[in-house]
């Protein structure tokens, strides 16, 4: 009876899998390829959290839980289609993360396609040593599932080498940070994450135990990241993070000429490109000062002793918060001063 029950469950899951795969493949095929070089320039800001080479961060300060850390995923070698879908989901709210929603709000469809194209060309990390018994258990689950418990094989969607499926927008799993893999499987299992097509991941994760998750993660870590995709054009050196300057808000007058270094006139574009994610709409949840809010900035300005003090603080970063050194950008001191001056001016200071 167990075998029959498993077969029915598997048939149901596989049917959903192939229907979703067909739909996603068609939509993925229609997606224009991104510009790798433009993506590399845009990724300079992403490096603050995900690492300058997209390697991820196993202990990033959690802005929603002061004093605690969380794993920020590796993006290196990830399928472009999956990266684009996640950014779209963060922007729409289909996937919840305050910091990533703030980042995605400032991205256009072209930006997302460019970032996906770039990270797909970055080589990920090699496999890591792990307990042989745990790896063997994880391999068995990944490749064959568990008939008695109705667990479908992960390999059916993510492939024998865990490289995922780019057109179907299914992620590469090999080479990912272990703690991040565990966190996402737990999120699917608890319904904290719900942006999987047709509930596929939630159905699978609901049957996994903590030991199963540990074993699958160990196996995936032992494999190393999939091979990076070849870029369609030579990749050039990335420009500073300020290069992809977004257009100034309609209400902000465009400067007639470049002002003296540190002036607020050129700060609108720098703010949009480098500071908006944390100091825009997401600021209250991150406990960060929000542009346009005098009550947020006035006490900080007084405590710092003026604009130069705020610049100094932004250069070093604020330990225990999401404020990395220079806000995770490569802005110069003068550019930081310009962006901060712009936020102060918008806040009536």
């Amino acid at each position: 009876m167990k075998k029959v029950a498993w077969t029915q469950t598997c048939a149901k899951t596989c049917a959903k899998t192939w229907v979703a795969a067909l739909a996603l493949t068609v939509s993925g095929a229609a997606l224009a390829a991104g510009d790798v070089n433009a993506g590399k320039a845009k990724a300079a800001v992403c490096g603050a959290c995900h690492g300058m080479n997209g390697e991820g961060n196993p202990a990033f300060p959690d802005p929603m839980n002061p004093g605690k850390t969380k794993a920020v995923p590796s993006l290196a070698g990830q399928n472009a289609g999956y990266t684009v879908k996640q950014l779209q989901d963060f922007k729409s709210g289909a996937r919840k993360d305050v910091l990533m929603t703030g980042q995605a709000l400032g991205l256009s469809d072209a930006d997302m396609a460019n970032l996906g194209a770039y990270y797909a060309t970055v080589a990920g990390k090699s496999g890591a040593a792990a307990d042989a018994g745990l790896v063997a258990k994880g391999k068995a689950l990944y490749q064959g599932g568990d008939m008695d418990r109705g667990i479908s094989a992960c390999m059916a969607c993510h492939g024998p080498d865990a490289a995922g499926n780019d057109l179907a927008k299914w992620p590469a799993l090999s080479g990912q940070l272990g703690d991040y893999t565990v966190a996402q499987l737990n999120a699917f299992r608890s319904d904290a994450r719900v942006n999987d097509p047709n509930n596929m991941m939630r159905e699978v994760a609901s049957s996994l135990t903590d030991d199963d998750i540990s074993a699958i993660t160990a196996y995936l870590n032992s494999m190393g990241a999939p091979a990076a995709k070849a870029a369609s054009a030579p990749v050039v050196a990335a420009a500073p993070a300020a290069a992809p300057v977004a257009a100034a808000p309609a209400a902000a007058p465009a400067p007639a000429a470049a002002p003296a270094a540190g002036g607020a006139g050129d700060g609108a574009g720098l703010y949009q490109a480098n500071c908006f994610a944390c100091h825009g709409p997401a600021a209250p949840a991150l406990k960060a000062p929000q542009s346009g809010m005098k009550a947020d900035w006035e006490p900080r300005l007084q405590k710092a002793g003026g604009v130069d003090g705020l610049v100094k603080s932004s250069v070093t970063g604020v330990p225990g918060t999401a404020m990395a050194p220079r806000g995770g950008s490569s802005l110069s001191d003068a550019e930081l001063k310009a962006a901060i001056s712009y936020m102060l001016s918008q806040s009536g200071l």
Side-chain angles (χ1 to χ4, degrees):
M1 292 300 294
K2 286 185 177 180
K3 184 173 183 179
V4 172
W6 177 85
T7 302
Q8 292 171 342
T9 300
C10 183
K12 178 182 177 183
T13 302
C14 290
K16 285 186 175 184
T17 297
W18 287 111
V19 169
L22 178 60
L24 291 171
T25 298
V26 172
S27 62
L31 182 67
D35 183 315
V36 173
N37 288 312
K40 184 170 185 178
K42 198 72 178 177
V45 175
C46 310
C49 300
H50 294 278
M52 296 313 296
N53 295 306
E55 67 273 20
N57 186 337
F60 185 78
D62 186 348
M64 302 306 295
N65 295 286
K68 296 184 178 181
T69 62
K70 66 175 185 177
V72 172
S74 168
L75 303 178
Q78 187 54 268
N79 293 318
Y82 177 75
T83 298
V84 171
K85 181 185 184 300
Q86 299 313 301
L87 289 171
Q88 291 171 338
D89 286 355
F90 283 127
K91 187 171 184 176
S92 70
R95 184 174 175 186
K96 309 294 184 183
D97 185 281
V98 172
L99 191 55
M100 276 307 305
T101 295
Q103 291 285 351
L105 282 172
L107 297 176
S108 66
D109 289 345
D111 291 333
M112 294 179 187
N114 296 341
L115 285 167
Y118 166 64
Y119 279 117
T121 68
V122 180
K125 66 177 184 177
S126 57
D131 177 82
L134 197 61
V135 169
K137 178 182 177 181
K139 181 178 181 178
L141 282 170
Y142 182 88
Q143 294 184 344
D146 188 315
M147 181 183 300
D148 291 335
R149 292 188 289 149
I151 299 174
S152 300
C154 312
M155 184 173 70
C157 294
H158 297 281
D161 56 357
N165 184 318
D166 194 13
L167 289 179
K169 303 178 185 178
W170 292 336
L173 303 179
S174 53
Q176 186 54 264
L177 298 180
D179 286 346
Y180 180 77
T181 299
V182 170
Q184 296 313 301
L185 287 173
N186 281 327
F188 282 125
R189 186 170 62 174
S190 67
D191 288 337
R193 179 176 171 182
V194 295
N195 71 324
D196 52 324
N198 294 309
N199 297 345
M200 288 189 295
M201 278 306 306
R202 279 171 282 172
E203 284 190 4
V204 172
S206 67
S207 298
L208 297 176
T209 67
D210 289 347
D211 288 343
D212 293 334
I213 291 175
S214 295
I216 292 170
T217 300
Y219 173 61
L220 292 172
N221 284 353
S222 73
M223 299 174 71
K229 283 73 172 177
S232 57
V235 181
V236 299
V245 176
D266 60 348
L270 295 172
Y271 160 77
Q272 286 290 329
N274 301 278
C275 314
F276 174 81
C278 295
H279 295 284
L286 296 173
K287 297 185 170 71
Q290 184 173 7
S291 179
M293 298 296 294
K294 184 176 181 179
D296 288 356
W297 285 101
E298 192 166 36
R300 288 175 168 85
L301 185 64
Q302 292 176 352
K303 182 178 180 180
V307 177
D308 288 339
L310 288 176
V311 172
K312 183 178 179 180
S313 176
S314 69
V315 168
T316 58
V318 182
T321 73
M323 184 63 189
R326 297 186 185 276
S329 74
S330 58
L331 295 181
S332 66
D333 289 6
E335 289 168 330
L336 284 169
K337 186 172 183 177
I340 291 170
S341 296
Y342 170 76
M343 289 188 280
L344 292 173
S345 72
Q346 293 296 103
S347 305
L349 295 169

